[in-house]
Amino acid sequence: MKQLKLTGFVIFLFCVPESLTLPTQPQDVDDVSITQKFIEENVGYITIIAFAQYIQEVSFEEVEVLVKAMTEYRDKCLGDVTLPMCYKLANDVLLENICALEGLPQKHNFSHCCSKVDLERKLCFFHNKKADVGFLPPLPTLDPEEKCQTYKNNRESFLNNYIYEVSRRNPFVFAPTLLTVVARFEEMTKTCCEEQDKANCFRTKAEPVIRYLKASSSFQKNVCGALMKFGLQVLESINVAILSQKFPKIEFKELTSLLKDVSSKYDGCCEGDAMQCIHERSKVMSHICSKQDSISSKIKECCEKKMPERGECIISSNKDDRPKDLALREVKFTESENVCEERDANQTIFMAEFLYEHSRRHPELSIPELLRIAGVYEDLLKECCHTENPPDCYRHAEYKFNETTEKSLKIVQRECAHFQDLGKDDLKYYYLIKFTKIAPQVSTEELTFLGKEMVTALATCCTLSEEFACVDNLMDLVLGELCGINENRNINPDVDHCCKTNFAFRRPCFEGLEADKTYVPPSTPQDLFTFHTDLCQAHNEELQKKKDRFLVNLVKRRPELTDEALRSLLTAFTDVVVKCCKAEGPEACFNEEGPKVTAKSQAA
């Protein structure tokens, strides 16, 4: 992928410690060189991504000033590469330049981060990121003809502005993913600008790009949230399950070697260190591609691609076929006489191997379910290894595993039954009410997003043969959105308990939640039932958003109402909109009908 080269290329990219790690294999030399060249060619984008994600309020003009500051730094290092400042970590230099810009820390309220140093400063900027981007203005939209003309006149500014707007609205998405998004956006722009019906082309081709970005964002936030809240061991368990399912023929020794690279990748990526994220992602993909014969038969074409398509291709590739000689069960964990001794020798390695063996044998299970089974097995051994006859105790482990899966399966079947019975719209209202009652402290925008995502998950999965894994995986991602990425996010005691106690059993925990009893609703403002003619101008999608917001805000103010009463008020609201938008004087109609909805809500 050839990307633009901004004048802001900084020579320290050649000098940062991660680039100076001497490779030990010829393949490593080539990969480091390729990665370095990629960073050189895309440093403009990388700089914009880092700035816009750390400080989402920053204007595009301020970003350009920051890029200029980096250019001046480049000039100093070009003049004398031995200067101490030229050997600093790339992300440290970015943050120093942000803090050095006059008035910017005070204007955007991050001066407290600038008073810190090293890791504390980086983490402070990370915690400054806001998942709820409702404070940002609506995403600018251009007429298709205008969009094509702008691209033709100034490609560099057009694409820079695009990656700036996308990055600040997706502050936790990894830099390689955003680089892929901008590449696909440019490819789409080139194609659609040649079409006669440009609007339809943009609309059609934008959908898969948006889906890709949303799916990547959900997964990355979920995994990073696990790292931030539960630590490295839970992150490694997730990665063991994912890699073992995806590459079932990989040997455990090779898996543990790959795992070191994968886990180290998340340190930089999750904290927003764009440079380190790109370096570590490339290292992981190089590792996988250098061992294709022993890892997977499905990634040959992916490994022939360039950055960052290579990494994205491997991540989205299909699971490899299960080895034909792989037994349906690994008996060493349930029938061996020495299970407790092997566990006690190295509990971390033992549990990782169990998860590896179980995951590669069960592609039909979700990642959360595999983690639940590992948790059940670990608890069982804690109990069994203190009995007089441990083998007789843990010999029934398979029954415990099946029991756990049956419980999870019933939840999925119930959710899919809801989907079949209610349909998309009614199901969405069901989730909007449910989420708002259990987490009324969450913003209206976020709650409407969560409700919509739950419906998308069920609509995507409930007709598939792999229904269970699909539903469980996607719905867990939605709960990950609710729990958030920062470990210091607090909603209410019950939700916080589910989010922070046990990653694997998060979804069963949420199943048992009821309306938050600690919540004190605000007084119902008059404007909740004051309707205006803007409802008549709203297109179908925009009107639907207004209905969703009305329902969420209604639940926030009247959480004691039953689901039926809330739905009745939503129907009343919809009826008023339909009636008044057909009336000769819509505003007068709204003034007359609005109080009737108010009275109905008070009587409910």
Side-chain angles (χ1 to χ4, degrees), residues 47-88:
T47 302
I48 293 169
I49 289 169
F51 284 139
Q53 287 191 323
Y54 276 134
I55 313 165
Q56 294 152 271
E57 301 89 345
V58 73
S59 68
F60 183 62
E61 290 71 27
E62 287 168 331
V63 167
E64 291 181 311
V65 173
L66 295 170
V67 171
K68 183 180 178 183
M70 296 299 288
T71 305
E72 291 172 359
Y73 175 86
R74 182 256 341 247
D75 292 340
K76 290 180 182 178
C77 290
L78 279 172
D80 185 0
V81 74
T82 63
L83 289 171
M85 69 177 71
C86 300
Y87 289 89
K88 292 180 179 179

Side-chain angles (χ1 to χ4, degrees), residues 471-483:
V471 171
D472 204 34
N473 280 328
L474 290 188
M475 295 187 85
D476 187 68
L477 292 183
V478 178
L479 294 180
E481 294 273 4
L482 174 59
C483 291

Side-chain angles (χ1 to χ4, degrees), residues 556-571:
K556 284 189 174 199
R557 286 159 178 82
R558 298 294 305 277
E560 77 282 0
L561 294 182
T562 64
D563 289 15
E564 290 74 17
L566 291 163
R567 292 293 303 277
S568 177
L569 288 168
L570 177 64
T571 301

Side-chain angles (χ1 to χ4, degrees), residues 417-478:
H418 276 149
F419 172 70
Q420 300 295 344
D421 294 341
L422 298 176
K424 287 185 180 180
D425 284 344
D426 284 345
L427 187 66
K428 180 178 63 177
Y429 300 141
Y430 165 80
Y431 281 117
L432 289 178
I433 293 170
K434 182 177 180 179
F435 276 128
T436 308
K437 283 193 172 186
I438 67 171
Q441 298 84 356
V442 174
S443 74
T444 299
E445 289 297 329
E446 200 171 342
L447 288 165
T448 54
F449 170 78
L450 292 171
K452 188 177 178 181
E453 288 302 293
M454 288 295 271
V455 174
T456 300
L458 294 174
T460 302
C461 302
C462 284
T463 56
L464 299 179
S465 57
E466 59 272 26
E467 174 184 282
F468 171 62
C470 182
V471 171
D472 204 34
N473 280 328
L474 290 188
M475 295 187 85
D476 187 68
L477 292 183
V478 178

Side-chain angles (χ1 to χ4, degrees), residues 568-581:
S568 177
L569 288 168
L570 177 64
T571 301
F573 166 72
T574 304
D575 291 345
V576 167
V577 173
V578 172
K579 178 180 179 179
C580 291
C581 289

Side-chain angles (χ1 to χ4, degrees), residues 227-369:
L227 174 62
M228 298 295 175
K229 290 184 175 72
F230 299 98
L232 185 60
Q233 190 166 342
V234 169
L235 172 67
E236 291 194 338
S237 295
I238 294 170
N239 286 329
V240 167
I242 291 172
L243 294 171
S244 302
Q245 268 198 341
K246 194 173 187 67
F247 307 131
K249 74 176 184 179
I250 192 173
E251 296 292 335
F252 182 65
K253 185 177 179 181
E254 181 62 47
L255 175 69
T256 55
S257 173
L258 176 60
L259 200 62
K260 292 177 183 176
D261 288 343
V262 173
S263 296
S264 66
K265 176 192 85 169
Y266 282 102
D267 285 339
C269 293
C270 290
E271 292 169 2
D273 189 332
M275 301 292 184
Q276 185 185 346
C277 184
I278 292 169
H279 274 286
E280 296 298 340
R281 163 78 78 91
S282 177
K283 188 177 177 182
V284 169
M285 300 310 164
S286 296
H287 186 145
I288 292 172
C289 289
S290 68
K291 302 284 183 69
Q292 289 182 59
D293 292 341
S294 61
I295 292 180
S296 175
S297 61
K298 299 283 180 79
I299 56 173
K300 186 176 185 297
E301 290 186 5
C302 293
C303 291
E304 292 170 354
K305 295 180 181 291
K306 296 180 180 179
M307 293 178 63
E309 288 94 337
R310 179 181 67 165
E312 299 302 323
C313 180
I314 290 172
I315 289 169
S316 60
S317 64
N318 292 328
K319 295 173 184 174
D320 208 347
D321 301 322
R322 195 171 76 173
K324 293 180 180 178
D325 59 349
L326 187 65
L328 292 177
R329 291 175 56 217
E330 177 50 81
V331 297
K332 68 175 281 187
F333 294 103
T334 56
E335 297 181 18
S336 168
E337 298 290 319
N338 305 315
V339 167
C340 294
E341 289 81 2
E342 290 184 36
R343 182 202 67 155
D344 293 342
N346 191 325
Q347 189 166 339
T348 301
I349 293 295
F350 178 83
M351 287 306 304
E353 187 174 3
F354 167 79
L355 185 55
Y356 154 76
E357 294 290 4
H358 204 80
S359 300
R360 66 202 288 250
R361 284 170 168 79
H362 292 281
E364 78 282 1
L365 295 181
S366 65
I367 299 304
E369 184 61 22

